[in-house]
Amino acid sequence: MDATADLHIHSTASDGTLSPTRIVEIAEELGLSVISLTDHDSVDGVEEALRAARGRRVTVIPGVELSCVREGRDIHMLGYFINWRNERFRAHLGELQRMRLERIRAMIGLLSERGLELALEDVLNETGHRTTSVGRPHIARAMVRKGLLHSVEDAFARYLGRGAPCFVEKYVHDPIEVIGVIREAGGVAVLAHPGLGISDGLIEELAAAGLSGIEVYHSDHAPEVVRRLLRLARKLGLVVTGGSDCHGVGSEKGLRIGSVVVDARALFAYAYDR
Ligand code: AMP
Ligand code: FE
Ligand code: FE
Ligand code: ZN
């Protein structure tokens, strides 16, 4: 069985620029066998992706990338094989999305104090047709579209990044709580891009609390980071996953889909042996 997989892709259901259907089409053209849609705090794209994959040579794993915070640091938790209809899970997403919207309002207020006028509508217009998972990339794109700034990177560096003057904290779920939400919904919890500033100590703590895997392969992981994470995964008995973290064409980092692939058999074996 070929299981060449890109297990980290964003669609218009959060801050990606491609629809779930388009992502599945591109994945098939690229010869990928497995993909997972992992939108930020949203599973709104999952059903469309599953539908698009019917009759194609691509298998879609239902996924999500949940936001968490530990000691003032953003942590992203991937959930695979999630039962997206689970009630506690849906309530968790609903709460995150409401907070996201409030936070966007607050950030628009802070931008306005600096003479950068943006309407909520401008930001919502940057989101996909129906996503409620609105975030800083949407603000940044709206600012560029209105000519307030030249680039999304500039918007993050000067206004929206953590520590910048218009940054507002999102919410305060601890990763251990989020692992519980994912597991309760039948999902497999995998720490996203742990090479971007997560300590071995925290990974060990999360592994003891029910974390099942770590995303060893990621577009922003240098080779030495991959080696460190592979050793840690072996030591802690964690499943190794990976993905491109594609946000679509015209997004900040370009079309990454399929640029990082893994063999998904380890994840499948783990999920079905539970
Ligand atoms: P939010 O979930 O609203 O806090 O926004 C986080 C998202 O913003 C990340 O998932 C990235 O897609 C994007 N992002 C974070 N930092 C940057 C940056 N410096 N430049 C461009 N995009 C970024
Ligand atoms: Fe993102
Ligand atoms: Fe992430
Ligand atoms: Zn991501």
Side-chain angles (χ1 to χ4, degrees):
M1 171 195 158
D2 178 65
T4 305
D6 184 340
L7 299 173
H8 192 153
I9 303 174
H10 294 269
S11 78
T12 45
S14 65
D15 58 355
T17 65
L18 297 169
S19 72
T21 300
R22 194 66 199 114
I23 287 167
V24 171
E25 288 169 359
I26 293 172
E28 186 177 51
E29 283 162 22
L30 291 171
L32 296 174
S33 296
V34 182
I35 61 164
S36 184
L37 214 61
T38 52
D39 277 304
H40 297 289
D41 304 331
S42 167
V43 287
D44 289 347
V46 166
E47 286 187 15
E48 182 185 322
L50 290 171
R51 222 179 306 122
R54 258 183 237 147
R56 290 183 192 274
R57 296 180 303 273
V58 182
T59 300
V60 172
I61 298 175
V64 71
E65 183 175 22
L66 294 179
S67 309
C68 351
V69 174
R70 170 69 74 90
E71 286 159 10
R73 183 187 286 280
D74 283 311
I75 294 175
H76 288 173
M77 192 66 67
L78 297 161
Y80 293 116
F81 299 102
I82 201 102
N83 172 12
W84 66 95
R85 296 193 183 94
N86 174 278
E87 260 180 49
R88 182 173 167 216
F89 179 66
R90 293 208 83 96
H92 187 80
L93 292 190
E95 187 195 342
L96 294 179
Q97 292 169 5
R98 276 190 299 280
M99 282 199 249
R100 276 181 171 278
L101 198 58
E102 272 175 42
R103 169 184 182 242
I104 294 298
R105 288 203 175 91
M107 292 180 84
I108 286 173
L110 291 173
L111 286 166
S112 162
E113 286 172 17
R114 282 165 182 76
L116 296 157
E117 294 298 340
L118 217 54
L120 181 61
E121 207 53 33
D122 297 327
V123 177
L124 297 182
N125 280 342
E126 298 293 329
T127 68
H129 35 295
R130 71 240 134 122
T131 188
T132 35
S133 193
V134 58
R136 288 179 288 160
H138 302 114
I139 301 183
R141 291 174 201 159
M143 291 171 80
V144 173
R145 196 182 299 279
K146 292 201 87 179
L148 299 174
L149 278 173
H150 291 297
S151 75
V152 165
E153 283 300 337
D154 200 26
F156 271 88
R158 288 169 63 188
Y159 301 105
L160 307 176
R162 190 172 272 281
C166 301
F167 174 80
V168 174
E169 186 68 82
K170 229 174 348 206
Y171 25 63
V172 287
H173 292 288
D174 188 81
I176 288 182
E177 186 186 350
V178 172
I179 289 171
V181 171
I182 290 171
R183 290 179 68 116
E184 203 180 297
V188 175
V190 173
L191 186 62
H193 39 72
L196 310 183
I198 309 284
S199 70
D200 288 9
L202 178 56
I203 296 173
E204 286 183 32
E205 182 193 336
L206 298 179
L211 182 75
S212 300
I214 52 175
E215 187 176 53
V216 170
Y217 300 96
H218 181 275
S219 303
D220 300 332
H221 284 176
E224 63 271 18
V225 170
V226 169
R227 282 194 291 275
R228 177 200 130 210
L229 293 171
L230 277 176
R231 274 197 302 274
L232 193 60
R234 200 175 312 128
K235 176 179 153 201
L236 300 174
L238 294 168
V239 176
V240 171
T241 75
S244 65
D245 209 350
C246 168
H247 281 70
V249 271
S251 67
E252 301 67 51
K253 306 215 163 139
L255 182 67
R256 290 167 151 184
I257 181 169
S259 61
V260 173
V261 290
V262 284
D263 186 329
R265 279 178 295 189
L267 179 60
F268 276 113
Y270 177 88
Y272 292 127
D273 277 353
R274 284 178 294 168

